[in-house]
Amino acid sequence: MKLSKTEEELMSHLWKLEKAFMKDLLEEYPEPKPATTTIATLLKRMTYKGFVGFKILGRSREYFPLVKKSDYFSKHVNGLIKNFFNDSASQFASFFTKETQLSQEELKQLRDIIDGQIKKK
């Protein structure tokens, strides 16, 4: 399953905090803050989808992510590569390096990352 844009925003706050009560999540948002009912609805949907779990502590719920951030984004990047780049990581890398206007330093950093991965294999 996939998260909506608003769910992804809330999930990013939860990944950052690792566990949080409703008030903690609301504090992460800039002004104007969303309504408590909006956050509650999003959390309910995300719990149903299997992205968020919670523990009941007294009359409150402490929420925590059930999916790691790296796993979520890895799945979506791989889907992007499959759907838009003919399942070719090299086509994706070519597009990414040409179209994102990376600086020379950023390109060198990418090369170092790739060289490091080659050495591991």
Side-chain angles (χ1 to χ4, degrees):
M1 278 198 175
K2 189 172 182 199
L3 296 172
S4 70
K5 199 83 165 149
T6 53
E7 290 168 341
E8 278 184 0
E9 182 180 10
L10 178 55
M11 195 69 190
S12 70
H13 296 311
L14 194 53
W15 279 319
K16 177 183 165 192
L17 296 171
E18 297 179 7
K19 56 185 178 177
F21 293 98
M22 174 80 70
K23 65 178 182 62
D24 302 322
L25 291 167
L26 278 167
E27 287 174 8
E28 292 295 309
Y29 282 88
E31 293 293 340
K33 295 186 184 298
T36 304
T37 54
T38 301
I39 300 300
T41 300
L42 291 171
L43 287 167
K44 185 177 181 180
R45 267 194 286 177
M46 293 161 65
T47 300
Y48 174 77
K49 290 180 177 182
F51 286 94
V52 173
F54 61 87
K55 287 191 292 190
I56 297 176
L57 300 171
R59 293 177 45 186
S60 300
R61 291 182 179 190
E62 183 180 47
Y63 295 94
F64 53 89
L66 295 175
V67 175
K68 292 180 187 174
K69 184 178 184 178
S70 59
D71 292 343
Y72 179 75
F73 285 105
S74 176
K75 182 177 180 182
H76 290 287
V77 168
N78 287 330
L80 181 76
I81 291 169
K82 182 177 182 179
N83 294 327
F84 294 101
F85 297 97
N86 299 319
D87 212 9
S88 169
S90 59
Q91 282 184 18
F92 170 74
S94 174
F95 175 84
F96 177 76
T97 55
K98 289 177 186 173
E99 299 298 324
T100 55
Q101 300 174 348
L102 298 171
S103 70
Q104 189 172 6
E105 182 60 33
E106 290 169 319
L107 288 167
K108 286 178 182 176
Q109 289 172 349
L110 278 176
R111 183 176 56 204
D112 291 344
I113 291 167
I114 292 167
D115 288 344
Q117 290 299 313
I118 289 170
K119 287 177 186 175
K120 287 181 182 179
K121 299 206 178 216

